[in-house]
């Protein structure tokens, strides 16, 4: 049975990609259509779209157009405005969400503040049990959750299912780590004193998540925050709020108490809400995943309240193939590390550096792999790669490809769009003979384009790979064990894949250096972002 009022939403706006996320905070962007106030015809159309989606789920109540404040789903904003969510595979509207603002966000903050004293005093075992319940519910509903991701994000259903399971793994992991939030006993230099350091939750934390992993980016933050006893106010990406709402519905069923988790949905008030979360004295920490420009702004806005800030920002990952590499393994890993989610991941390869002696062979083998891709709707079982998130993302990829070709790059495959294509598609593309004066050398493409550069020496390629203000992830292939240690230690990144293109795991610390971020998520280190140490000295 559908909950009353869940089909109420309205707006007209174009979904945005990572670059346009920055636009909402005052940075350059592509044009957007303005939101509208309630219109009966648009409202009816939105309701019909949601009904069609609900009919395709085993549990239709997972689909809702609402925020979540103080344990209640909120279907309307105080402004009366809404924003639209689109299916990137065909550009059609699938839902309308309340365009919430300062008033709703403040209500969510106060609800979380009120819930914090009791939630922070629950035992680690009690919090662990709730997270474990939530994990089990996600797995029980994984097919529905995957469909929701594919509808609003576009990635193939198999990839979406993988994301759901990856996202669930953070709740499983942090349900276990909740019981291992250890402090320290400090050997005292004074016989009459005993010294200990205990770890306590920060308080209310604000989290802001991106659209490229609408399930896993929320669970990675929520899992750690709840495990240590924090309460949360979350702002999901306006492109993909349906996944967040589905998770919150399951969280309510899992037994998360009233006020502990809040969810504010918005598009046009993104900048104002981000500023409020950063400047509010009732918010003790901020966790953000998204563009570097926005991350810098949030860091500045958090300075006056001196709150803890965790940032996972942009990348410009290098993928190095040395002359002694296992070429077959390197090509297979390149496909995964570059073209997963159509190149829309923060740890996606942006620059391929291949030794000059094998560059042409590598390029041809990669071309052969890409030639077998099938681009289309993520709901089609034959699709290997889905659309980009929006038109602005397509335009950025097109710009990077044209720039490379204008500067002498060689097109091995792709680069030519179908004039009759519906949705936000760009063909997977491989370019060779890349040079450092091309935009791909310095700018994150965030799309399905592999640009191959050549190099001759280890020293040369390390200098090229490190010649960026970003430092999230890096990859390289070599059979020389000594070289593996040297290169891994000298790449200026937070994460390194040695002879592999898959590095993400709930048990590993995820994060970058330089302008790619501050802090780590996942692993035991993920708890550090939501806790503080208290030193206790007791005289005897």
């Amino acid at each position: 049975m559908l909950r009353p009022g869940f089909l109420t939403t309205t707006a007209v706006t174009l979904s945005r990609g990572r670059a346009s996320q920055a636009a909402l905070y005052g940075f350059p962007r592509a044009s957007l259509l303005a939101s509208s106030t309630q219109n009966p015809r648009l409202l009816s159309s939105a309701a019909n779209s949601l009904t069609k989606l609900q009919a395709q789920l085993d549990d239709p109540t997972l689909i809702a157009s609402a925020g979540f404040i103080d344990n209640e789903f909120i279907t309307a904003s105080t402004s009366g405005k809404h924003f639209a969510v689109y299916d990137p595979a065909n550009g059609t509207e699938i839902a309308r969400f309340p365009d919430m603002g300062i008033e709703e966000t403040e209500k969510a903050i106060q609800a979380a503040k009120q819930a914090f004293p009791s939630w922070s005093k629950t035992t680690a075992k009690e919090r662990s049990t709730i997270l474990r319940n939530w994990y089990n519910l996600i797995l029980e509903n994984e097919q529905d959750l995957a469909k929701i991701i594919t509808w609003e994000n576009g990635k193939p259903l198999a990839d979406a299912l993988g994301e759901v399971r990856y996202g669930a793994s953070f709740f499983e992991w942090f349900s276990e780590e909740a019981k291992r939030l250890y402090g320290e006993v400090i050997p005292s230099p004074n016989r009459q004193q005993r010294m200990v350091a205990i770890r306590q939750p920060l308080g209310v934390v604000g989290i802001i998540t991106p659209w490229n992993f609408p399930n896993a980016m929320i669970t990675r933050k929520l899992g750690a925050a709840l495990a240590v006893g924090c309460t949360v106010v979350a702002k999901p990406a306006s492109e993909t709020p349906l996944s967040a709402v589905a998770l919150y519905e399951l969280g309510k069923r899992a037994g998360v108490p009233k006020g502990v988790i809040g969810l504010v949905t918005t598009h046009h008030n993104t900048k104002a809400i981000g500023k409020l979360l950063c400047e509010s004295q009732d918010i003790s920490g901020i966790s953000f995943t998204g563009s570097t420009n926005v991350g810098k702004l949030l860091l500045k806005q958090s300075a006056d309240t001196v709150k803890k800030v965790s940032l996972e920002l942009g990348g410009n990952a290098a993928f190095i193939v040395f002359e002694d590499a296992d070429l077959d393994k390197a090509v297979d890993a390149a496909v995964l590390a570059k073209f997963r989610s159509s190149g829309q991941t923060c740890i996606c390869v942006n620059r391929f550096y291949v030794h000059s002696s094998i560059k042409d062979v590598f390029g041809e083998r990669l071309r052969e792999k890409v030639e077998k891709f099938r681009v289309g709707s993520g709901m089609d079982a034959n699709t290997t790669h889905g659309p980009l998130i929006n038109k602005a993302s397509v335009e950025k990829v097109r710009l990077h490809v044209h720039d490379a070709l204008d500067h002498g790059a060689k097109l091995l495959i792709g680069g030519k769009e179908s004039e009759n294509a519906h949705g936000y598609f760009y063909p997977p593309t491989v370019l060779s003979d890349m040079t450092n004066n091309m935009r791909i050398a310095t700018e994150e493409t965030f799309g399905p384009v592999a640009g191959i550069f050549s190099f001759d020496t280890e020293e040369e390629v390390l200098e090229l790979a490190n010649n960026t203000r970003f430092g999230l992830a890096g990859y390289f292939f070599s059979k020389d064990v000594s070289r593996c240690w040297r290169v891994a230690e000298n790449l200026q990144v937070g994460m390194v894949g040695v002879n592999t293109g898959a590095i993400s795991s709930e048990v590993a610390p995820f994060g970058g250096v330089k302008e790619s971020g501050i802090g780590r998520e996942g692993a035991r280190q993920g708890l550090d972002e939501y806790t503080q140490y208290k030193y206790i000295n007791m005289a005897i």
Side-chain angles (χ1 to χ4, degrees), residues 334-336 338-340 342 366-376 382-385 413 427-430 448:
V335 170
L336 176 65
K338 170 70 252 187
F339 293 103
R340 179 189 181 194
S342 296
L366 184 58
R367 184 200 67 78
E368 291 173 352
K369 292 283 187 181
V370 172
E371 191 174 34
K372 297 176 183 178
F373 291 173
R374 293 294 176 264
V375 177
N382 295 318
T383 293
T384 60
H385 294 77
I413 192 172
T429 299
V430 180

Side-chain angles (χ1 to χ4, degrees), residues 103-422:
E103 184 175 339
E104 291 92 348
T105 307
E106 190 59 48
K107 287 180 180 178
I109 292 172
Q110 293 309 312
K113 180 181 178 180
Q114 186 173 354
F116 175 71
S118 59
W119 175 248
S120 63
K121 293 298 190 295
T122 57
T123 67
K125 181 174 176 56
E126 289 170 331
R127 298 192 297 273
S128 172
T129 298
I130 289 175
L131 284 172
R132 187 72 189 198
N133 290 343
W134 205 344
Y135 162 77
N136 290 332
L137 285 169
I138 290 174
L139 294 188
E140 290 171 12
N141 292 275
E142 63 179 12
Q143 295 295 332
D144 280 354
L145 295 175
K147 289 179 182 178
I148 293 171
I149 291 173
T150 297
W151 283 326
E152 62 181 355
N153 169 278
K155 65 179 64 177
L157 195 57
D159 288 356
L161 184 59
E163 180 188 340
V164 171
R165 292 171 179 170
Y166 176 55
S169 73
F170 288 106
F171 280 167
E172 179 185 38
W173 170 259
F174 285 118
S175 74
E176 297 162 348
E177 287 299 288
K179 296 180 286 187
R180 303 185 182 96
L181 191 66
Y182 302 132
E184 298 180 37
V185 175
I186 303 167
S188 175
N190 187 326
R191 293 183 182 180
Q192 304 304 316
Q193 294 179 339
R194 299 295 180 265
M195 299 178 175
V196 297
I198 63 173
R199 297 172 71 181
Q200 294 184 313
L202 290 180
V204 182
V205 295
I207 69 174
I208 304 173
T209 59
W211 50 260
N212 58 339
F213 287 90
N215 179 293
M217 294 302 95
I218 292 180
T219 58
R220 189 161 72 183
K221 298 176 188 297
L222 272 180
L226 298 184
V228 302
C230 289
T231 54
V232 175
V233 176
K235 205 289 297 179
S238 59
E239 295 86 353
T240 54
L242 288 166
S243 291
V245 172
L247 282 172
Y248 270 59
E249 167 62 25
L250 295 178
K252 189 174 183 179
R253 298 179 194 178
V256 179
K258 181 179 180 180
V260 170
I261 53 174
L263 186 74
V264 179
T265 62
T266 190
H267 163 48
H268 291 88
N269 296 317
T270 294
K271 184 177 180 179
I273 288 176
K275 187 172 186 290
L276 174 61
L277 291 174
C278 291
E279 295 182 351
S280 172
Q281 294 184 353
D282 292 325
I283 295 288
S284 300
I286 292 288
S287 180
F288 169 75
T289 297
S291 73
T292 295
N293 281 340
V294 175
K296 289 179 179 179
L297 179 60
L298 297 177
L299 186 60
K300 291 176 183 176
Q301 292 175 341
S302 298
D304 284 345
T305 51
V306 197
K307 56 173 53 75
K308 201 166 196 176
V309 178
S310 172
L311 304 172
E312 192 266 283
L313 307 176
N316 189 6
F319 187 108
I320 303 169
V321 185
F322 288 99
E323 66 273 23
D324 64 337
D326 184 320
L327 208 53
D328 289 334
K329 288 184 178 179
V331 171
D332 287 341
V335 170
L336 176 65
K338 170 70 252 187
F339 293 103
R340 179 189 181 194
S341 295
S342 296
Q344 299 176 114
T345 76
C346 54
I347 58 173
C348 177
V349 177
N350 207 57
R351 301 166 293 155
F352 284 90
Y353 293 107
V354 184
H355 193 272
S356 57
S357 65
I358 57 172
K359 176 181 73 73
D360 291 341
V361 177
F362 178 89
E364 176 58 22
R365 292 193 187 180
L366 184 58
R367 184 200 67 78
E368 291 173 352
K369 292 283 187 181
V370 172
E371 191 174 34
K372 297 176 183 178
F373 291 173
R374 293 294 176 264
V375 177
S377 168
M379 300 304 293
D380 187 335
N382 295 318
T383 293
T384 60
H385 294 77
L388 301 185
I389 191 65
N390 57 41
K391 185 178 180 180
S393 294
V394 175
E395 290 174 349
K396 182 179 182 182
V397 174
R398 183 190 297 117
L399 175 65
H400 278 199
V401 171
H402 287 180
D403 172 76
L405 294 175
D406 289 344
H407 285 87
K410 179 181 178 181
L411 181 65
L412 300 185
I413 192 172
K416 298 178 181 179
E417 301 167 71
S418 171
E419 296 180 358
N420 298 319
H422 297 285

